[in-house]
Amino acid sequence: MASHPFEYFLWTIYPYLMLGSFFFGTIIRFTFFHAGVTAKSSEMLEKKRLMVGSTLFHVGIIGVFFGHIMGVLIPKAWTDALGISDYVYHHFIAIPAGAFFGILATVGVYMLCWRRFRNHRVFRTSSTADLIVIAALTIEITLGMLSSFVTAPVHPDFNYRTSLAIWARQLFYFQPDFRLMLATPLMYKLHVIFGLMIFGAFPYTRLVHALALPWRYVYRRFIVYRRRPQV
């Protein structure tokens, strides 16, 4: 630890600061500020790019999320026990699925980011937090794509399942070994650092609406709209 104080902080202390902010901040937000858990819509200001970008982004990010769950939380020993080799796992499962959902998320978030900053009406009605959130998501998804499809081919000997993934699982039982991250390529490190930062800021931004399941829409009565007759 003495020779790597900054690395020790990044991979042992910083993750718990961000995850603690996520969990306790979310509890506080839903307990005391539940009325503010919403995503302010700008659909009336511009609809076409919003619909296309939002659909691509949400479908892509859901796929990417479950891909991360499978890649990080499922140990390599489990897939080995099923007879799935590293070659098959990466070239027939991880890379095709990651490319498909990653491209969807990337195209979607870039459309939403362009719309947020370049559409005059949308930009003028956006809060500072709105601009920071969409910029942060754009950077994080870009870092993820660069890690998977640029850095990975440059470092063919690096296997995140035997280093980064093990470190990530160790966080859950409070014994992270920061040394597992020392040889991790920089792009992967930036992706993890930025992702943890987004988790830490999650409860204090519009992103928190993702945790608000709309159960009331299941049983609420239909809203009837009637057109005023033309005179």
Side-chain angles (χ1 to χ4, degrees):
M1 186 186 82
S3 60
H4 301 281
F6 184 63
E7 295 274 3
Y8 179 83
F9 170 80
L10 277 180
W11 312 120
T12 305
I13 299 174
Y14 172 73
Y16 291 112
L17 292 177
M18 295 299 100
L19 293 174
S21 175
F22 172 81
F23 286 111
F24 292 110
T26 299
I27 292 172
I28 293 172
R29 182 76 182 268
F30 276 88
T31 301
F32 300 103
F33 305 98
H34 192 275
V37 178
T38 182
K40 184 174 61 177
S41 175
S42 58
E43 181 178 345
M44 295 191 65
L45 303 177
E46 193 283 325
K47 185 174 182 178
K48 184 176 180 180
R49 285 191 178 88
L50 174 64
M51 292 296 101
V52 176
S54 180
T55 300
L56 291 175
F57 170 74
H58 283 90
V59 172
I61 207 67
I62 290 172
V64 168
F65 172 78
F66 284 106
H68 279 63
I69 294 294
M70 184 176 73
V72 173
L73 297 186
I74 297 180
K76 181 177 178 295
W78 292 14
T79 53
D80 289 344
L82 294 174
I84 302 174
S85 66
D86 277 348
Y87 182 85
V88 171
Y89 176 84
H90 287 290
H91 289 83
F92 292 96
I93 300 176
I95 293 177
F100 176 74
F101 288 109
I103 290 172
L104 290 183
T106 301
V107 173
V109 80
Y110 270 84
M111 289 184 67
L112 295 176
C113 189
W114 188 95
R115 173 182 178 273
R116 180 68 63 178
F117 282 92
R118 299 298 296 172
N119 185 291
H120 180 71
R121 298 173 66 193
V122 176
F123 180 80
R124 290 290 299 271
T125 57
S126 299
S127 66
T128 301
D130 291 337
L131 300 176
I132 293 174
V133 164
I134 192 63
L137 288 173
T138 303
I139 294 171
E140 174 64 2
I141 291 174
T142 301
L143 289 172
M145 293 295 285
L146 290 174
S147 298
S148 297
F149 301 105
V150 177
T151 301
V154 174
H155 298 273
D157 294 332
F158 173 73
N159 187 346
Y160 69 89
R161 302 183 75 203
T162 59
S163 55
L164 193 157
I166 295 175
W167 167 82
R169 292 195 297 272
Q170 289 174 344
L171 290 173
F172 290 96
Y173 46 91
F174 304 101
Q175 291 182 341
D177 183 358
F178 78 98
R179 288 166 294 191
L180 289 169
M181 296 295 292
L182 294 181
T184 299
L186 178 61
M187 198 63 68
Y188 283 91
K189 289 182 177 181
L190 293 176
H191 183 54
V192 173
I193 291 170
F194 220 83
L196 287 170
M197 184 177 67
I198 291 176
F199 265 99
F202 193 96
Y204 320 109
T205 67
R206 63 190 291 143
L207 292 175
V208 75
H209 82 276
L211 301 178
L213 297 176
W215 295 116
R216 289 182 299 172
Y217 288 96
V218 176
Y219 56 81
R220 76 173 187 178
R221 298 179 63 184
F222 289 106
I223 299 175
V224 179
Y225 290 91
R226 291 187 174 90
R227 180 178 297 176
R228 178 178 296 178
Q230 299 275 336
V231 178

